[in-house]
């Protein structure tokens, strides 16, 4: 989405102006999103000095559906995770569910890094990247933190580190290699393997030099809220179960004033993903803030017994 997208604060202000009822909850998350965005470039610089970098992109692996960070050695990430925790934990402690576990979280994330020793923070990052719920539960148990609290905090500590890795690994001007047509066809993230928190449909693009429309718009992109990546996805296909065809994907939206905000849900597996059609609004919203700003639709989905493609703290009712 690059630099042209709105700040989290701006997108949240837009949402609050239209849906004041969401103000209290969005206000508590605004500092978290803003701090995370602010951390990414600093962490990228720090990670660069350690020599740690993204694994090289391999087309064949991507074509067969293996995310870039699958099997990535995480040894060496602990200092960046500690740095991220120093900034993010005090903000997380403002959350009611997190506050009672402040001491245990500090003990876990802020302990000093011991060279050559196995690091629980790195094990945690590994468990998240491999989607290993068993390993994750074991870490939570040993550190005395309820798994759902650790998951919530870990998202905000690991996320800026992964975003920094992506940010320093690929230059802004180039297209990401996984964006090349036909390379990545999965509903989960090509970089970290997580399911998307939100989807967006793009606008028609104007070729600046030749002044003609080079793309008709309406292409679907999925957004990963963990590592910040975006990737193209076929519109008629379910990102969760992979089924496609007439009547597989349905749209749920408010009858008026939706401004392109809707849920795309699958009639086969009943999963849904919030989606924003940029052709129906101005500007490019901050996608992580936008996903939170659509929680009124998460409630509608919950009543209809649909399940979120990416469970988040605000859609687990
Ligand atoms: Zn990702
Ligand atoms: Zn499905």
């Amino acid at each position: 989405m690059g630099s042209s997208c709105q700040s989290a604060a701006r997108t949240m202000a837009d949402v609050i102006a239209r849906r004041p009822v969401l103000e209290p909850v969005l206000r508590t998350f605004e500092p978290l999103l803003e701090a995370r965005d602010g951390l990414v470039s600093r962490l990228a610089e720090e990670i660069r000095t350690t020599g740690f970098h993204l694994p090289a992109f391999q087309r064949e692996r991507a074509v067969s559906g293996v995310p870039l960070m699958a099997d990535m050695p995480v040894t060496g990430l602990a200092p960046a995770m500690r740095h991220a925790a120093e900034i993010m934990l005090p903000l997380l402690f403002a959350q009611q569910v997190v506050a009672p576990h402040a001491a245990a979280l500090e003990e876990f994330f802020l302990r000093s890094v011991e060279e050559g020793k196995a690091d629980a923070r790195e094990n945690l990052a590994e468990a998240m990247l491999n989607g290993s719920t068993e390993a994750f539960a074991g870490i939570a148990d040993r550190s005395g933190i309820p798994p759902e609290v650790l998951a919530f905090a870990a998202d905000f500590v690991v996320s800026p580190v992964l975003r920094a890795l992506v940010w320093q690994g690929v230059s802004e001007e180039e297209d990401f290699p996984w964006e090349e047509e036909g390379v990545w066809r999965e509903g989960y993230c090509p970089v970290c393997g997580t399911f998307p928190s939100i989807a967006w449909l793009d606008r028609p693009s104007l070729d600046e030099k030749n002044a003609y429309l080079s793309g008709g718009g309406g292409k679907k992109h999925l957004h990963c809220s963990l590592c910040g990546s975006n990737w193209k996805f076929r519109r008629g296909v379910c990102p969760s179960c992979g089924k496609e065809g007439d009547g597989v994907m349905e749209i749920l939206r408010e009858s008026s004033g939706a401004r392109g905000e809707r849920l795309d849900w699958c009639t086969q597996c009943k999963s849904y993903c919030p989606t924003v059609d940029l052709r129906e609004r101005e500007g490019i919203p901050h996608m992580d803030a936008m996903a939170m700003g659509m929680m009124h639709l998460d409630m509608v989905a919950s009543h209809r017994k649909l399940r979120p493609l990416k469970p988040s703290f605000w859609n687990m009712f």
Side-chain angles (χ1 to χ4, degrees):
M1 298 299 289
S3 49
S4 55
C5 107
Q6 294 171 354
S7 68
R10 168 71 203 283
T11 295
M12 285 182 168
D14 276 4
V15 171
I16 289 166
R18 292 165 51 229
R19 283 190 282 279
V21 65
L22 295 184
E23 176 158 16
V25 58
L26 292 185
R27 287 276 179 240
T28 66
F29 284 102
E30 185 182 317
L32 281 163
L33 295 192
E34 290 274 300
R36 181 176 66 185
D37 290 346
L39 251 176
V40 173
S41 59
R42 275 185 284 155
L43 285 176
E45 191 54 46
E46 186 178 319
I47 290 170
R48 191 176 298 125
T49 61
T50 67
F52 200 102
H53 55 80
L54 266 188
F57 180 76
Q58 292 174 278
R59 202 174 190 282
E60 318 78 69
R61 261 169 73 96
V63 169
S64 51
V66 182
L68 194 53
M69 288 178 177
D71 330 312
M72 175 180 81
V74 293
T75 308
L77 275 190
M81 286 178 70
R82 185 172 189 267
H83 182 180
E86 281 168 358
I87 307 294
M88 301 306 295
L89 285 185
L91 298 169
L92 282 160
F93 295 160
Q95 301 288 330
Q96 264 175 22
V97 290
V98 183
H101 307 283
L105 284 163
E106 281 181 340
E107 161 73 23
F108 183 83
F109 283 110
L110 299 181
R111 69 181 75 170
S112 51
V113 180
E114 293 182 63
E115 197 106 13
K117 274 210 177 153
D119 191 291
R121 284 163 291 213
E122 291 168 355
N123 297 340
L124 176 76
E126 197 164 34
M128 289 168 74
L129 288 174
N130 296 337
S132 170
T133 44
E134 212 172 302
F136 190 93
I139 294 164
D141 190 44
R142 284 190 295 280
S143 51
I145 305 165
E148 65 278 8
V149 174
L150 182 62
F152 178 44
D155 258 5
F156 279 102
V157 172
V158 172
S159 172
V161 176
L162 299 186
R163 285 168 189 241
L165 270 172
V166 175
W167 201 78
Q168 65 123 12
V170 198
S171 87
E172 278 269 335
E173 296 77 39
E174 285 172 50
D175 271 353
F176 294 103
W178 51 85
E179 287 274 27
E180 192 197 316
E181 211 63 51
V183 169
W184 188 259
R185 297 167 62 83
E186 313 299 333
Y188 49 86
C189 177
V191 177
C192 74
T194 304
F195 274 116
S197 58
I198 186 168
W200 47 282
L201 305 186
D202 60 18
R203 297 198 183 94
S205 59
L206 191 66
D207 185 314
E208 306 263 321
K209 285 196 200 87
N210 301 305
Y212 68 92
L213 289 175
S214 59
K219 276 203 209 70
K220 190 174 207 171
H221 303 250
L222 304 179
H223 173 78
C224 171
S225 63
L226 188 62
C227 77
S229 298
N230 296 283
W231 66 103
K232 292 192 199 85
F233 196 71
R234 292 158 294 153
R235 273 174 72 165
V237 185
C238 170
S240 180
C241 70
K243 296 231 170 63
E244 60 181 296
D246 282 349
V248 169
M249 296 304 289
E250 295 273 350
I251 292 170
L252 193 61
R253 60 156 79 211
E254 287 174 308
S255 47
S256 68
R259 292 185 53 197
E261 296 166 19
R262 62 192 217 191
L263 298 181
D264 288 14
W265 65 280
C266 172
T267 55
Q268 308 297 301
C269 72
K270 311 290 182 203
S271 69
Y272 73 90
C273 187
T275 301
V276 56
D277 189 340
L278 298 185
R279 294 170 300 179
E280 294 178 33
R281 59 196 293 136
E282 304 272 297
I284 300 175
H286 186 288
M287 288 300 163
D288 303 306
M290 194 69 239
M292 282 184 204
M294 287 165 72
M295 63 176 91
H296 60 299
L297 293 177
D298 286 297
M299 288 179 217
V300 175
S302 163
H303 287 135
R304 296 199 177 202
K305 304 273 184 281
L306 303 176
R307 64 174 178 88
L309 184 56
K310 171 76 167 71
S312 303
F313 46 88
W314 70 86
N315 61 25
M316 303 288 288
F317 301 104

Short mmCIF file of all heavy atoms in Angstrom, two decimals, residues 192-251:
data_model
loop_
_atom_site.label_atom_id
_atom_site.label_comp_id
_atom_site.label_asym_id
_atom_site.label_seq_id
_atom_site.Cartn_x
_atom_site.Cartn_y
_atom_site.Cartn_z
N CYS A 192 4.15 -14.77 5.66
CA CYS A 192 4.18 -15.37 7.00
C CYS A 192 3.16 -16.50 7.18
O CYS A 192 3.18 -17.17 8.21
CB CYS A 192 3.97 -14.30 8.07
SG CYS A 192 2.27 -13.71 8.19
N GLY A 193 2.27 -16.71 6.20
CA GLY A 193 1.36 -17.85 6.26
C GLY A 193 0.07 -17.61 7.04
O GLY A 193 -0.74 -18.53 7.18
N THR A 194 -0.13 -16.39 7.55
CA THR A 194 -1.34 -16.07 8.33
C THR A 194 -2.52 -15.76 7.39
O THR A 194 -2.31 -15.25 6.30
CB THR A 194 -1.05 -14.83 9.21
OG1 THR A 194 0.10 -15.11 10.00
CG2 THR A 194 -2.21 -14.50 10.12
N PHE A 195 -3.74 -16.04 7.84
CA PHE A 195 -4.91 -15.65 7.04
C PHE A 195 -5.10 -14.13 7.11
O PHE A 195 -4.75 -13.50 8.10
CB PHE A 195 -6.17 -16.38 7.52
CG PHE A 195 -6.33 -17.74 6.88
CD1 PHE A 195 -6.30 -18.88 7.67
CD2 PHE A 195 -6.50 -17.86 5.51
CE1 PHE A 195 -6.43 -20.14 7.08
CE2 PHE A 195 -6.64 -19.11 4.93
CZ PHE A 195 -6.61 -20.26 5.70
N PRO A 196 -5.68 -13.55 6.06
CA PRO A 196 -5.85 -12.09 6.01
C PRO A 196 -6.89 -11.59 7.00
O PRO A 196 -7.85 -12.29 7.30
CB PRO A 196 -6.31 -11.85 4.56
CG PRO A 196 -6.98 -13.11 4.15
CD PRO A 196 -6.21 -14.21 4.85
N SER A 197 -6.69 -10.35 7.47
CA SER A 197 -7.66 -9.73 8.37
C SER A 197 -8.66 -8.90 7.59
O SER A 197 -9.74 -8.58 8.08
CB SER A 197 -6.94 -8.83 9.37
OG SER A 197 -6.19 -7.85 8.68
N ILE A 198 -8.31 -8.53 6.35
CA ILE A 198 -9.18 -7.67 5.54
C ILE A 198 -8.78 -7.83 4.07
O ILE A 198 -7.65 -8.20 3.76
CB ILE A 198 -9.07 -6.18 6.00
CG1 ILE A 198 -10.08 -5.29 5.27
CG2 ILE A 198 -7.66 -5.65 5.86
CD1 ILE A 198 -10.22 -3.88 5.88
N ALA A 199 -9.76 -7.59 3.19
CA ALA A 199 -9.49 -7.59 1.74
C ALA A 199 -9.87 -6.23 1.18
O ALA A 199 -10.65 -5.50 1.79
CB ALA A 199 -10.31 -8.69 1.07
N TRP A 200 -9.32 -5.87 0.06
CA TRP A 200 -9.71 -4.62 -0.61
C TRP A 200 -9.75 -4.81 -2.11
O TRP A 200 -9.02 -5.63 -2.67
CB TRP A 200 -8.81 -3.46 -0.20
CG TRP A 200 -7.34 -3.73 -0.25
CD1 TRP A 200 -6.62 -4.43 0.68
CD2 TRP A 200 -6.40 -3.33 -1.27
NE1 TRP A 200 -5.30 -4.48 0.32
CE2 TRP A 200 -5.13 -3.81 -0.88
CE3 TRP A 200 -6.51 -2.61 -2.45
CZ2 TRP A 200 -3.98 -3.61 -1.62
CZ3 TRP A 200 -5.36 -2.39 -3.20
CH2 TRP A 200 -4.12 -2.89 -2.80
N LEU A 201 -10.67 -4.08 -2.74
CA LEU A 201 -10.77 -4.10 -4.20
C LEU A 201 -10.18 -2.79 -4.71
O LEU A 201 -10.51 -1.71 -4.20
CB LEU A 201 -12.23 -4.22 -4.65
CG LEU A 201 -13.03 -5.40 -4.10
CD1 LEU A 201 -14.41 -5.45 -4.76
CD2 LEU A 201 -12.31 -6.72 -4.33
N ASP A 202 -9.27 -2.89 -5.69
CA ASP A 202 -8.56 -1.67 -6.10
C ASP A 202 -9.35 -0.83 -7.09
O ASP A 202 -10.39 -1.24 -7.61
CB ASP A 202 -7.15 -2.03 -6.63
CG ASP A 202 -7.18 -2.95 -7.84
OD1 ASP A 202 -8.24 -3.08 -8.49
OD2 ASP A 202 -6.13 -3.57 -8.13
N ARG A 203 -8.85 0.39 -7.31
CA ARG A 203 -9.47 1.32 -8.24
C ARG A 203 -8.88 1.12 -9.62
O ARG A 203 -7.80 0.56 -9.75
CB ARG A 203 -9.15 2.77 -7.81
CG ARG A 203 -9.71 3.13 -6.48
CD ARG A 203 -9.74 4.64 -6.33
NE ARG A 203 -10.22 4.96 -5.00
CZ ARG A 203 -9.43 5.19 -3.95
NH1 ARG A 203 -8.13 5.19 -4.10
NH2 ARG A 203 -9.95 5.42 -2.77
N PRO A 204 -9.56 1.63 -10.65
CA PRO A 204 -8.92 1.60 -11.97
C PRO A 204 -7.61 2.37 -11.89
O PRO A 204 -7.54 3.40 -11.22
CB PRO A 204 -9.91 2.35 -12.86
CG PRO A 204 -11.18 2.41 -12.11
CD PRO A 204 -10.85 2.33 -10.65
N SER A 205 -6.55 1.86 -12.51
CA SER A 205 -5.29 2.58 -12.45
C SER A 205 -5.04 3.31 -13.76
O SER A 205 -5.30 2.78 -14.84
CB SER A 205 -4.14 1.62 -12.12
OG SER A 205 -4.07 0.62 -13.10
N LEU A 206 -4.54 4.52 -13.61
CA LEU A 206 -4.30 5.35 -14.78
C LEU A 206 -2.80 5.29 -15.09
O LEU A 206 -1.97 5.51 -14.23
CB LEU A 206 -4.70 6.79 -14.46
CG LEU A 206 -4.77 7.78 -15.61
CD1 LEU A 206 -5.89 7.40 -16.59
CD2 LEU A 206 -5.00 9.20 -15.07
N ASP A 207 -2.48 4.95 -16.33
CA ASP A 207 -1.08 4.98 -16.75
C ASP A 207 -0.70 6.45 -16.94
O ASP A 207 -1.17 7.11 -17.86
CB ASP A 207 -0.91 4.19 -18.05
CG ASP A 207 0.56 4.08 -18.47
OD1 ASP A 207 1.25 5.12 -18.43
OD2 ASP A 207 0.99 2.98 -18.81
N GLU A 208 0.17 6.96 -16.05
CA GLU A 208 0.45 8.40 -16.02
C GLU A 208 1.08 8.89 -17.34
O GLU A 208 0.72 9.95 -17.84
CB GLU A 208 1.44 8.70 -14.87
CG GLU A 208 0.97 8.18 -13.54
CD GLU A 208 0.26 9.24 -12.70
OE1 GLU A 208 0.74 10.38 -12.73
OE2 GLU A 208 -0.74 8.92 -12.05
N LYS A 209 1.99 8.10 -17.90
CA LYS A 209 2.70 8.55 -19.11
C LYS A 209 1.78 8.58 -20.32
O LYS A 209 1.85 9.49 -21.13
CB LYS A 209 3.88 7.60 -19.40
CG LYS A 209 5.05 7.80 -18.45
CD LYS A 209 6.31 7.14 -19.01
CE LYS A 209 7.34 6.91 -17.92
NZ LYS A 209 7.13 5.60 -17.23
N ASN A 210 0.95 7.57 -20.45
CA ASN A 210 0.18 7.45 -21.68
C ASN A 210 -1.29 7.85 -21.53
O ASN A 210 -2.04 7.83 -22.49
CB ASN A 210 0.28 6.02 -22.23
CG ASN A 210 1.73 5.63 -22.49
OD1 ASN A 210 2.42 6.32 -23.22
ND2 ASN A 210 2.17 4.55 -21.87
N ALA A 211 -1.65 8.22 -20.30
CA ALA A 211 -3.00 8.71 -20.04
C ALA A 211 -4.10 7.76 -20.53
O ALA A 211 -5.07 8.18 -21.13
CB ALA A 211 -3.20 10.11 -20.61
N TYR A 212 -3.92 6.50 -20.32
CA TYR A 212 -5.03 5.59 -20.58
C TYR A 212 -5.20 4.68 -19.37
O TYR A 212 -4.30 4.55 -18.55
CB TYR A 212 -4.81 4.77 -21.86
CG TYR A 212 -3.69 3.77 -21.79
CD1 TYR A 212 -3.93 2.45 -21.39
CD2 TYR A 212 -2.38 4.13 -22.11
CE1 TYR A 212 -2.90 1.53 -21.32
CE2 TYR A 212 -1.34 3.22 -22.05
CZ TYR A 212 -1.61 1.93 -21.65
OH TYR A 212 -0.60 1.03 -21.56
N LEU A 213 -6.34 4.08 -19.26
CA LEU A 213 -6.60 3.19 -18.13
C LEU A 213 -5.85 1.88 -18.36
O LEU A 213 -6.11 1.16 -19.31
CB LEU A 213 -8.10 2.90 -18.00
CG LEU A 213 -8.96 4.06 -17.51
CD1 LEU A 213 -10.42 3.66 -17.56
CD2 LEU A 213 -8.58 4.46 -16.08
N SER A 214 -4.91 1.58 -17.46
CA SER A 214 -4.11 0.36 -17.67
C SER A 214 -4.73 -0.81 -16.91
O SER A 214 -4.39 -1.95 -17.14
CB SER A 214 -2.67 0.60 -17.24
OG SER A 214 -2.63 0.96 -15.90
N GLY A 215 -5.63 -0.51 -16.02
CA GLY A 215 -6.32 -1.60 -15.31
C GLY A 215 -7.73 -1.15 -14.98
O GLY A 215 -7.94 -0.01 -14.60
N GLY A 216 -8.69 -2.02 -15.12
CA GLY A 216 -10.09 -1.64 -14.94
C GLY A 216 -10.50 -1.48 -13.48
O GLY A 216 -11.55 -0.94 -13.18
N GLY A 217 -9.66 -1.92 -12.56
CA GLY A 217 -9.99 -1.83 -11.15
C GLY A 217 -10.88 -2.99 -10.72
O GLY A 217 -11.33 -3.79 -11.54
N GLY A 218 -11.11 -3.07 -9.42
CA GLY A 218 -11.95 -4.13 -8.89
C GLY A 218 -11.21 -5.43 -8.63
O GLY A 218 -11.82 -6.42 -8.26
N LYS A 219 -9.90 -5.41 -8.81
CA LYS A 219 -9.13 -6.62 -8.46
C LYS A 219 -9.09 -6.75 -6.95
O LYS A 219 -8.98 -5.77 -6.22
CB LYS A 219 -7.69 -6.50 -8.98
CG LYS A 219 -7.51 -6.91 -10.42
CD LYS A 219 -6.06 -7.29 -10.67
CE LYS A 219 -5.65 -7.04 -12.11
NZ LYS A 219 -5.55 -5.61 -12.44
N LYS A 220 -9.14 -8.01 -6.50
CA LYS A 220 -9.15 -8.24 -5.06
C LYS A 220 -7.74 -8.45 -4.53
O LYS A 220 -6.93 -9.16 -5.14
CB LYS A 220 -9.99 -9.47 -4.75
CG LYS A 220 -10.28 -9.67 -3.28
CD LYS A 220 -11.24 -10.83 -3.06
CE LYS A 220 -12.02 -10.65 -1.77
NZ LYS A 220 -13.11 -11.63 -1.65
N HIS A 221 -7.46 -7.81 -3.39
CA HIS A 221 -6.19 -7.98 -2.70
C HIS A 221 -6.50 -8.39 -1.26
O HIS A 221 -7.46 -7.91 -0.67
CB HIS A 221 -5.40 -6.67 -2.66
CG HIS A 221 -5.14 -6.08 -4.01
ND1 HIS A 221 -3.89 -6.03 -4.58
CD2 HIS A 221 -5.98 -5.52 -4.92
CE1 HIS A 221 -3.96 -5.46 -5.77
NE2 HIS A 221 -5.22 -5.14 -6.01
N LEU A 222 -5.68 -9.24 -0.70
CA LEU A 222 -5.84 -9.62 0.70
C LEU A 222 -4.72 -8.96 1.50
O LEU A 222 -3.62 -8.75 0.97
CB LEU A 222 -5.80 -11.15 0.87
CG LEU A 222 -6.82 -11.94 0.05
CD1 LEU A 222 -6.66 -13.45 0.28
CD2 LEU A 222 -8.24 -11.51 0.35
N HIS A 223 -5.00 -8.62 2.76
CA HIS A 223 -4.02 -7.93 3.60
C HIS A 223 -3.76 -8.73 4.88
O HIS A 223 -4.69 -9.13 5.58
CB HIS A 223 -4.54 -6.54 3.97
CG HIS A 223 -3.68 -5.83 4.98
ND1 HIS A 223 -2.48 -5.22 4.65
CD2 HIS A 223 -3.82 -5.66 6.32
CE1 HIS A 223 -1.94 -4.70 5.74
NE2 HIS A 223 -2.73 -4.95 6.77
N CYS A 224 -2.48 -8.95 5.17
CA CYS A 224 -2.08 -9.68 6.38
C CYS A 224 -1.76 -8.68 7.48
O CYS A 224 -0.90 -7.82 7.32
CB CYS A 224 -0.84 -10.52 6.08
SG CYS A 224 -0.10 -11.27 7.55
N SER A 225 -2.46 -8.79 8.60
CA SER A 225 -2.23 -7.80 9.66
C SER A 225 -1.03 -8.16 10.52
O SER A 225 -0.59 -7.36 11.34
CB SER A 225 -3.48 -7.66 10.55
OG SER A 225 -3.74 -8.89 11.19
N LEU A 226 -0.45 -9.35 10.33
CA LEU A 226 0.72 -9.70 11.12
C LEU A 226 2.00 -9.12 10.48
O LEU A 226 2.72 -8.37 11.11
CB LEU A 226 0.83 -11.22 11.28
CG LEU A 226 1.92 -11.69 12.25
CD1 LEU A 226 1.68 -11.18 13.67
CD2 LEU A 226 2.03 -13.22 12.27
N CYS A 227 2.26 -9.45 9.21
CA CYS A 227 3.50 -8.96 8.59
C CYS A 227 3.26 -7.79 7.65
O CYS A 227 4.20 -7.25 7.09
CB CYS A 227 4.23 -10.10 7.87
SG CYS A 227 3.49 -10.53 6.27
N GLY A 228 1.98 -7.40 7.47
CA GLY A 228 1.67 -6.21 6.68
C GLY A 228 1.64 -6.42 5.17
O GLY A 228 1.47 -5.46 4.43
N SER A 229 1.81 -7.66 4.71
CA SER A 229 1.86 -7.91 3.26
C SER A 229 0.47 -7.88 2.63
O SER A 229 -0.54 -8.09 3.29
CB SER A 229 2.49 -9.28 2.97
OG SER A 229 3.81 -9.31 3.45
N ASN A 230 0.47 -7.60 1.32
CA ASN A 230 -0.74 -7.65 0.51
C ASN A 230 -0.50 -8.59 -0.66
O ASN A 230 0.62 -8.67 -1.16
CB ASN A 230 -1.05 -6.26 -0.06
CG ASN A 230 -1.36 -5.26 1.03
OD1 ASN A 230 -2.45 -5.26 1.59
ND2 ASN A 230 -0.40 -4.40 1.35
N TRP A 231 -1.54 -9.28 -1.10
CA TRP A 231 -1.39 -10.11 -2.30
C TRP A 231 -2.71 -10.20 -3.05
O TRP A 231 -3.77 -10.03 -2.47
CB TRP A 231 -0.85 -11.50 -1.94
CG TRP A 231 -1.74 -12.38 -1.12
CD1 TRP A 231 -2.49 -13.42 -1.58
CD2 TRP A 231 -1.96 -12.34 0.31
NE1 TRP A 231 -3.16 -14.02 -0.53
CE2 TRP A 231 -2.85 -13.37 0.63
CE3 TRP A 231 -1.48 -11.50 1.34
CZ2 TRP A 231 -3.28 -13.61 1.94
CZ3 TRP A 231 -1.92 -11.73 2.64
CH2 TRP A 231 -2.80 -12.77 2.92
N LYS A 232 -2.61 -10.42 -4.36
CA LYS A 232 -3.81 -10.50 -5.19
C LYS A 232 -4.48 -11.86 -5.01
O LYS A 232 -3.81 -12.87 -4.79
CB LYS A 232 -3.46 -10.33 -6.67
CG LYS A 232 -2.98 -8.94 -7.04
CD LYS A 232 -2.96 -8.80 -8.55
CE LYS A 232 -2.08 -7.64 -8.99
NZ LYS A 232 -0.65 -8.05 -9.08
N PHE A 233 -5.82 -11.86 -5.13
CA PHE A 233 -6.56 -13.10 -4.96
C PHE A 233 -7.77 -13.10 -5.88
O PHE A 233 -8.38 -12.05 -6.09
CB PHE A 233 -6.99 -13.27 -3.49
CG PHE A 233 -7.41 -14.66 -3.15
CD1 PHE A 233 -6.48 -15.68 -3.06
CD2 PHE A 233 -8.75 -14.96 -2.91
CE1 PHE A 233 -6.87 -16.98 -2.75
CE2 PHE A 233 -9.15 -16.26 -2.60
CZ PHE A 233 -8.21 -17.27 -2.52
N ARG A 234 -8.12 -14.26 -6.44
CA ARG A 234 -9.26 -14.33 -7.37
C ARG A 234 -10.57 -14.11 -6.63
O ARG A 234 -10.80 -14.70 -5.59
CB ARG A 234 -9.24 -15.70 -8.07
CG ARG A 234 -8.07 -15.88 -9.03
CD ARG A 234 -7.78 -17.33 -9.29
NE ARG A 234 -7.29 -17.98 -8.05
CZ ARG A 234 -7.42 -19.27 -7.78
NH1 ARG A 234 -8.00 -20.07 -8.62
NH2 ARG A 234 -6.96 -19.76 -6.63
N ARG A 235 -11.43 -13.29 -7.22
CA ARG A 235 -12.63 -12.83 -6.52
C ARG A 235 -13.65 -13.91 -6.21
O ARG A 235 -14.28 -13.87 -5.17
CB ARG A 235 -13.29 -11.71 -7.32
CG ARG A 235 -12.74 -10.37 -6.99
CD ARG A 235 -13.30 -9.28 -7.87
NE ARG A 235 -14.69 -8.98 -7.58
CZ ARG A 235 -15.29 -7.88 -8.02
NH1 ARG A 235 -14.63 -7.02 -8.76
NH2 ARG A 235 -16.55 -7.65 -7.73
N GLY A 236 -13.81 -14.85 -7.11
CA GLY A 236 -14.87 -15.84 -6.91
C GLY A 236 -14.46 -17.02 -6.05
O GLY A 236 -15.21 -17.99 -5.93
N VAL A 237 -13.27 -16.96 -5.46
CA VAL A 237 -12.73 -18.10 -4.72
C VAL A 237 -12.77 -17.81 -3.22
O VAL A 237 -12.56 -16.68 -2.79
CB VAL A 237 -11.27 -18.37 -5.13
CG1 VAL A 237 -10.73 -19.62 -4.45
CG2 VAL A 237 -11.15 -18.50 -6.64
N CYS A 238 -13.03 -18.82 -2.41
CA CYS A 238 -12.99 -18.66 -0.96
C CYS A 238 -11.54 -18.78 -0.49
O CYS A 238 -10.90 -19.79 -0.75
CB CYS A 238 -13.85 -19.72 -0.27
SG CYS A 238 -13.60 -19.74 1.52
N PRO A 239 -11.03 -17.76 0.23
CA PRO A 239 -9.63 -17.82 0.71
C PRO A 239 -9.43 -18.91 1.76
O PRO A 239 -8.31 -19.33 2.00
CB PRO A 239 -9.37 -16.44 1.31
CG PRO A 239 -10.63 -15.66 1.20
CD PRO A 239 -11.70 -16.52 0.62
N SER A 240 -10.51 -19.37 2.37
CA SER A 240 -10.37 -20.37 3.43
C SER A 240 -10.41 -21.79 2.89
O SER A 240 -9.48 -22.56 3.09
CB SER A 240 -11.48 -20.18 4.46
OG SER A 240 -11.36 -21.13 5.50
N CYS A 241 -11.49 -22.17 2.18
CA CYS A 241 -11.62 -23.57 1.74
C CYS A 241 -11.20 -23.77 0.29
O CYS A 241 -11.09 -24.90 -0.17
CB CYS A 241 -13.04 -24.08 1.96
SG CYS A 241 -14.28 -23.35 0.87
N GLY A 242 -11.01 -22.66 -0.44
CA GLY A 242 -10.52 -22.77 -1.82
C GLY A 242 -11.58 -23.11 -2.85
O GLY A 242 -11.29 -23.21 -4.04
N LYS A 243 -12.85 -23.27 -2.41
CA LYS A 243 -13.91 -23.59 -3.37
C LYS A 243 -14.16 -22.38 -4.27
O LYS A 243 -13.97 -21.24 -3.86
CB LYS A 243 -15.20 -23.96 -2.64
CG LYS A 243 -15.07 -25.22 -1.80
CD LYS A 243 -16.19 -26.21 -2.09
CE LYS A 243 -15.94 -27.56 -1.45
NZ LYS A 243 -15.88 -27.51 0.03
N GLU A 244 -14.59 -22.63 -5.50
CA GLU A 244 -14.91 -21.53 -6.40
C GLU A 244 -16.08 -21.89 -7.29
O GLU A 244 -16.46 -23.05 -7.39
CB GLU A 244 -13.68 -21.13 -7.24
CG GLU A 244 -13.12 -22.23 -8.11
CD GLU A 244 -11.90 -21.74 -8.89
OE1 GLU A 244 -12.03 -20.83 -9.73
OE2 GLU A 244 -10.80 -22.29 -8.63
N GLY A 245 -16.64 -20.85 -7.91
CA GLY A 245 -17.77 -21.08 -8.81
C GLY A 245 -18.94 -20.20 -8.45
O GLY A 245 -18.90 -19.45 -7.46
N ASP A 246 -20.02 -20.30 -9.24
CA ASP A 246 -21.20 -19.47 -9.00
C ASP A 246 -21.78 -19.75 -7.63
O ASP A 246 -21.95 -20.91 -7.25
CB ASP A 246 -22.27 -19.77 -10.06
CG ASP A 246 -21.94 -19.07 -11.37
OD1 ASP A 246 -21.02 -18.22 -11.36
OD2 ASP A 246 -22.58 -19.38 -12.38
N GLY A 247 -22.07 -18.69 -6.89
CA GLY A 247 -22.75 -18.84 -5.61
C GLY A 247 -21.88 -19.25 -4.45
O GLY A 247 -22.38 -19.42 -3.34
N VAL A 248 -20.58 -19.42 -4.66
CA VAL A 248 -19.72 -19.77 -3.54
C VAL A 248 -19.52 -18.56 -2.62
O VAL A 248 -19.77 -18.62 -1.43
CB VAL A 248 -18.35 -20.32 -4.01
CG1 VAL A 248 -17.38 -20.41 -2.83
CG2 VAL A 248 -18.52 -21.69 -4.65
N MET A 249 -19.11 -17.43 -3.20
CA MET A 249 -18.87 -16.23 -2.40
C MET A 249 -20.09 -15.30 -2.46
O MET A 249 -20.61 -15.00 -3.52
CB MET A 249 -17.63 -15.48 -2.91
CG MET A 249 -16.33 -16.27 -2.76
SD MET A 249 -15.98 -16.82 -1.06
CE MET A 249 -15.58 -15.25 -0.26
N GLU A 250 -20.53 -14.86 -1.29
CA GLU A 250 -21.64 -13.92 -1.20
C GLU A 250 -21.17 -12.66 -0.48
O GLU A 250 -20.15 -12.68 0.21
CB GLU A 250 -22.79 -14.55 -0.39
CG GLU A 250 -23.44 -15.76 -1.03
CD GLU A 250 -24.57 -15.37 -1.98
OE1 GLU A 250 -24.97 -14.20 -1.98
OE2 GLU A 250 -25.05 -16.27 -2.70
N ILE A 251 -21.94 -11.59 -0.65
CA ILE A 251 -21.58 -10.30 -0.05
C ILE A 251 -22.65 -9.87 0.93
O ILE A 251 -23.85 -10.01 0.66
CB ILE A 251 -21.43 -9.23 -1.15
CG1 ILE A 251 -20.20 -9.54 -2.01
CG2 ILE A 251 -21.32 -7.84 -0.53
CD1 ILE A 251 -20.10 -8.69 -3.26
#
